[in-house]
């Protein structure tokens, strides 16, 4: 079975400071890792994904994530946070199950960026 | 290009009543998913379609939930009868075929159900 852990329910950061949202995963075989963001009363928006290749993945809105196979982690980062980044962030892992992809999500981390 | 379209966005019903949600995936996406998201939780897969075929419905509560995807495009998710615990956001999503691992799954805005 595959699973994702997001150890922090909430992360607070001052605008302009770097941010990190943590994610660890468990999956058989090669992991395919995703980050999604959810704004209030909205659906999930895709931010970035890791499939293979360079461990540092760049995505939308200045976000990036680093894949670390030895630590089974895929932490989301941004060099300089904005108040508009405040939202709920989900990490997800995919596996080749039954001939197709199936996303398993973590419980989410609420990011709050303050002035 | 239009994204995944869902309706209705919000629905309030009394328990024991039926409810249906509709989804139109991104054009060309043959894989369609229904996820349920409870308050404060991550989404959980209910059912996945490849074209018209439901290839993973192991998490769908079949005593009260049903889904269909006639003609391999639009899909409908139905709950009958609804229970208080069904209050959640029902998310539809789609991805390209071939459904190899790593394909990005795109989500709609969700249908927010409140059962009273």
């Amino acid at each position: 079975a595959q699973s994702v852990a997001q150890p922090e329910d909430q992360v607070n950061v001052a605008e302009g400071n770097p941010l990190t949202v943590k994610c660890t995963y468990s999956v058989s075989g090669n992991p395919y890792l995703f980050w999604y963001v959810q704004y209030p009363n909205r659906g999930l928006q895709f931010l970035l994904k890791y499939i293979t290749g360079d461990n540092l993945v760049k995505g939308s809105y200045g976000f990036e994530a680093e894949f670390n196979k030895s630590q089974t982690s895929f932490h989301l980062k941004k060099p300089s946070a904005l108040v508009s980044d405040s939202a709920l962030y989900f990490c997800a892992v995919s596996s080749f199950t039954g001939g197709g992809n199936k996303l398993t999500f973590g419980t989410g981390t609420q990011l709050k960026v303050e002035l | 290009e239009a994204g995944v379209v869902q309706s209705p966005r919000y629905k309030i019903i009394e328990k024991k009543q039926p409810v249906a949600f509709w989804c139109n995936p991104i054009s060309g996406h043959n894989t369609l998913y229904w996820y349920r998201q409870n308050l404060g939780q991550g989404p959980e897969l209910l059912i996945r379609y490849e074209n018209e075929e439901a290839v993973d419905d192991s998490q769908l509560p079949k005593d009260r939930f049903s889904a269909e995807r006639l003609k391999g495009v639009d899909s409908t998710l139905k709950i009958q009868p609804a229970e208080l615990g069904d209050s959640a956001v029902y998310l539809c999503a789609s991805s390209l075929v071939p459904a190899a691992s790593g394909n990005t799954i795109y989500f709609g805005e969700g249908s927010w159900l409140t059962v009273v």
Side-chain angles (χ1 to χ4, degrees), chain A residues 32 34 36 38-46 49-51 88 90 94-108, chain B residues 9-10 31 33 35 37 40-43 45 48 50 55-56 58-59 91 95 99-110 112:
Chain A
Y32 303 105
F34 299 77
Y36 285 83
Q38 186 174 37
Y39 295 97
N41 299 319
R42 303 295 298 274
L44 275 69
Q45 295 180 30
F46 169 73
K49 69 180 179 182
Y50 170 82
I51 303 301
L88 186 57
F90 288 98
S94 173
S95 72
F96 195 75
T97 303
N101 53 340
K102 172 184 175 179
L103 273 183
T104 298
F105 287 85
T107 53
Chain B
R9 286 294 314 279
Y10 304 95
T31 306
Y33 313 76
Y35 278 82
Q37 184 181 15
Q41 300 294 319
L45 181 69
R48 173 168 63 90
E50 295 287 349
V55 296
D56 184 355
S58 57
Q59 300 301 311
L91 295 163
S95 65
S101 292
N103 279 346
T104 300
I105 297 176
Y106 296 93
F107 286 81
E109 293 289 281
W112 301 67

Side-chain angles (χ1 to χ4, degrees), chain B residues 83-95:
Chain B
E83 297 178 352
L84 295 177
D86 296 330
S87 295
V89 182
Y90 292 85
L91 295 163
C92 181
S94 69
S95 65

